[in-house]
Amino acid sequence: MRQLATMRDLERLAGSAAAQHERAESCLDAAAAVIRGYCGWPISRVEELTVQLDPAGERRLALPCAWLTEVHTVSVNGNPETGYHWSRSGLIERESGRWPAGLGSVEVTFSGGFDPVPPEVIAAAVSYAVKGLSSADLHGPRVTQETVGPVSWTYADPGSSAAELSSAEQAALVPYRLLRPSLWAAVTS
């Protein structure tokens, strides 16, 4: 799956030194993984992604996609299903009746996501990647806790760690975050 921000984006938004760093590519990969996990779906364009859903007998099911462009196939317990409608927002509704309850009883192959990646997502990915580039190997680790004998002190860390999205990055990603339980972890594992 492609990155959410390219080396060109990194250079444009963070400068040539960041883009030339030996870990730039891996930091962009990490940014894409963290952002996709936070948002609950790939965001960038995917073609023919197949997921298995675990309905509980409802009429509508939510796919892990907030910009659905096509539903290719739907099967129920291995049998092709044609009686459904879908929405751009990632919902698939059965025309009559309910989806049968059962783990993995509905399988959907779909395409969706943005091409090009929205600028807010690119900016959040570059911001996150730059934190990775400027972490411990460049500035040394931040001391957040000390222990001397039986006494321990914990200091507030004014910056966010490279492992978590900042509040500004999270705010930029709000329009792209699924508001329903995420299936993305199950899709990618």
Side-chain angles (χ1 to χ4, degrees), residues 165-183:
L165 292 167
S166 71
S167 58
E169 293 159 350
Q170 289 177 15
L173 296 170
V174 164
Y176 308 100
R177 191 168 190 207
L178 294 180
L179 299 177
R180 52 190 179 257
S182 173
L183 301 173

Side-chain angles (χ1 to χ4, degrees), residues 27-163:
C27 287
L28 287 172
D29 288 340
V34 168
I35 289 171
R36 285 183 172 120
Y38 177 76
C39 290
W41 67 295
I43 302 170
S44 62
R45 181 88 177 132
V46 292
E47 297 291 335
E48 297 195 27
L49 180 65
T50 299
V51 296
Q52 288 189 332
L53 303 174
D54 307 325
E58 57 270 85
R59 188 162 179 223
R60 283 187 184 155
L61 297 175
L63 297 172
C65 185
W67 189 254
L68 190 60
T69 57
E70 187 173 354
V71 173
H72 302 283
T73 62
V74 176
S75 63
V76 176
N77 295 319
N79 300 311
E81 173 73 36
T82 57
Y84 60 86
H85 299 287
W86 57 272
S87 71
R88 180 81 59 204
S89 64
L91 296 175
I92 187 165
E93 182 177 82
R94 201 159 194 197
E95 287 177 359
S96 62
R98 299 181 174 279
W99 299 102
L103 298 176
S105 63
V106 175
E107 184 174 277
V108 181
T109 300
F110 67 92
S111 296
F114 294 100
D115 187 18
V117 174
E120 303 88 348
V121 176
I122 292 171
V126 167
S127 173
Y128 184 90
V130 166
K131 287 190 300 189
L133 295 175
S134 62
S135 65
D137 65 325
L138 297 178
H139 300 296
R142 289 189 207 130
V143 175
T144 58
Q145 185 174 21
E146 283 184 278
T147 303
V148 179
V151 180
S152 178
W153 294 271
T154 300
Y155 304 102
D157 184 6
S160 64
S161 76

